[in-house]
Amino acid sequence: MKTLILKNIVKNSSSNDEGVILFNALQDAYLKEEQLILLVDSDLTMSSSFLNTSFGAFLDNYGFSGFKDTVKFKGSKNQFLRLNNYITKYRNLYLA
């Protein structure tokens, strides 16, 4: 299992361009059938644009089960709750 430190792969977590960088890393792991631990610092703020172009795009392309099989989170409770809330809402709104 590979650990991916978010602050080391993106300059910030507020733009679509940076979200695409994370999406590409997640997609690469998925296509290689690897599991990732995504380490998110507690002081990192993620915009909705960033979340939509990274996690949202991944969920659109590979579904919730593909996400669960590929990505595990590590970070503060607040970050976990925010990401979990985003994924749950996204799943309920857009995925069958």
Side-chain angles (χ1 to χ4, degrees):
M1 190 174 299
K2 178 180 174 183
T3 299
L4 188 65
I5 302 170
L6 186 57
K7 71 177 183 177
N8 290 347
I9 64 163
V10 297
K11 294 176 188 168
N12 61 62
S13 54
S14 61
S15 72
N16 288 332
D17 291 340
E18 297 300 310
V20 170
I21 292 170
L22 177 56
F23 169 79
N24 289 336
L26 299 177
Q27 177 178 250
D28 184 56
Y30 175 81
L31 294 174
K32 291 179 180 176
E33 298 181 2
E34 296 176 342
Q35 283 192 331
L36 288 177
I37 296 174
L38 181 63
L39 179 60
V40 181
D41 284 348
S42 61
D43 61 345
L44 193 63
T45 302
M46 293 176 278
S47 72
S48 58
S49 296
F50 177 82
L51 292 170
N52 289 336
T53 56
S54 56
F55 298 114
F58 188 91
L59 289 165
D60 283 344
N61 285 291
Y62 305 109
F64 183 69
S65 62
F67 187 84
K68 275 188 1 182
D69 292 342
T70 304
V71 183
K72 309 294 180 218
F73 290 112
K74 186 173 183 181
S76 71
K77 181 178 179 180
N78 285 340
Q79 287 292 28
F80 174 80
L81 291 174
R82 178 151 196 272
L83 291 172
N84 186 57
N85 184 44
Y86 175 84
I87 292 165
T88 300
K89 285 182 179 179
Y90 198 93
R91 182 180 181 205
N92 289 338
L93 289 172
Y94 300 110
L95 300 177

